[in-house]
């Protein structure tokens, strides 16, 4: 009986094919990134708008979906992400920071909103960075072909 079991085990071992195990390394996709861009905008007396970059922060994370805001399309600004070939990857509409909407309590005690014009203001833009983004451009709706400021990442 021992001989029979030994022959049976030998038969299974000799008939089995040797499998080579291949280790395939798969690159994990890069983690999502958030861009925090802090600007200061100025408007001169003759109506020329200029913007300077105060700081930029790139960090890992994902932005929660935002509710859509009512933005006046004539005064809106566009924040556009471009790749290395200057192809637009993503676009976000932001309200004109030089015309902020302010909420206040009127004489009757009710909440009221009003749009005011300011000469200068600091503002922040938070974007979900699209993979491959190499620059971010701010453009006004009036001068869609002429960027206000370009930030290289």
């Amino acid at each position: 009986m021992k001989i029979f079991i030994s022959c049976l085990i030998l038969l299974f071992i000799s008939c089995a094919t040797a499998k080579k195990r291949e280790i395939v390394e798969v690159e994990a996709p890069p983690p999502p990134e958030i861009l925090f861009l802090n600007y200061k905008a100025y408007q001169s007396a003759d109506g020329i708008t200029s913007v300077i970059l105060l700081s930029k922060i790139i960090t890992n994370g994902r932005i929660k979906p935002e509710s859509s805001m009512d933005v006046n399309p004539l005064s809106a600004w566009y924040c556009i992400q471009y790749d290395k070939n200057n192809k637009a990857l993503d676009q976000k509409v932001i309200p004109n920071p030089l015309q902020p909407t302010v909420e206040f309590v009127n004489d009757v005690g009710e909440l009221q909103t009003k749009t005011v014009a300011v000469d200068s203001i600091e503002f922040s833009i938070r974007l979900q960075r699209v993979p491959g983004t190499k620059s971010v451009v701010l453009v006004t709706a009036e001068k869609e072909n002429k960027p206000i400021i370009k930030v290289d990442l």
Side-chain angles (χ1 to χ4, degrees):
M1 184 74 173
K2 286 184 180 181
I3 295 175
F4 177 72
I5 293 176
S6 302
C7 289
L8 191 59
I9 291 175
L10 187 60
L11 180 67
F12 282 125
I13 292 175
S14 64
C15 290
T17 59
K19 292 183 180 179
K20 293 183 181 178
R21 294 187 181 190
E22 293 183 26
I23 298 175
V24 178
E25 291 186 25
V26 177
E27 285 189 35
E33 293 180 324
I34 301 173
L35 296 173
F36 293 97
L37 302 169
N38 298 309
Y39 296 102
K40 185 160 190 173
Y42 301 93
Q43 187 157 13
S44 63
D46 55 351
I48 297 174
T49 302
S50 59
V51 177
I52 59 171
L53 178 69
L54 299 175
S55 66
K56 69 177 174 184
I57 300 170
I58 302 172
T59 185
N60 291 340
R62 184 174 305 277
I63 295 177
K64 293 180 183 177
E66 299 174 346
S67 61
S68 62
M69 297 186 308
D70 292 332
V71 178
N72 181 357
L74 298 176
S75 66
W77 289 15
Y78 298 97
C79 187
I80 307 168
Q81 297 183 50
Y82 288 100
D83 66 2
K84 64 182 177 183
N85 299 321
N86 285 333
K87 179 185 170 198
L89 300 175
D90 191 31
Q91 170 177 297
K92 180 177 183 177
V93 180
I94 59 171
N96 185 343
L98 293 170
Q99 298 174 354
T101 301
V102 181
E103 291 184 348
F104 61 95
V105 177
N106 62 14
D107 296 335
V108 184
E110 296 174 339
L111 194 62
Q112 189 175 352
T113 60
K114 183 176 182 180
T115 301
V116 295
V118 295
D119 294 335
S120 68
I121 192 166
E122 290 184 9
F123 65 99
S124 297
I125 298 175
R126 184 178 56 144
L127 299 169
Q128 187 70 54
R129 184 178 184 183
V130 177
T133 300
K134 297 299 179 192
S135 63
V136 176
V137 175
L138 276 180
V139 179
T140 63
E142 300 129 6
K143 301 176 183 175
E144 211 169 306
N145 295 329
K146 185 179 179 190
I148 300 172
I149 187 170
K150 179 179 180 181
V151 177
D152 293 322
L153 304 176

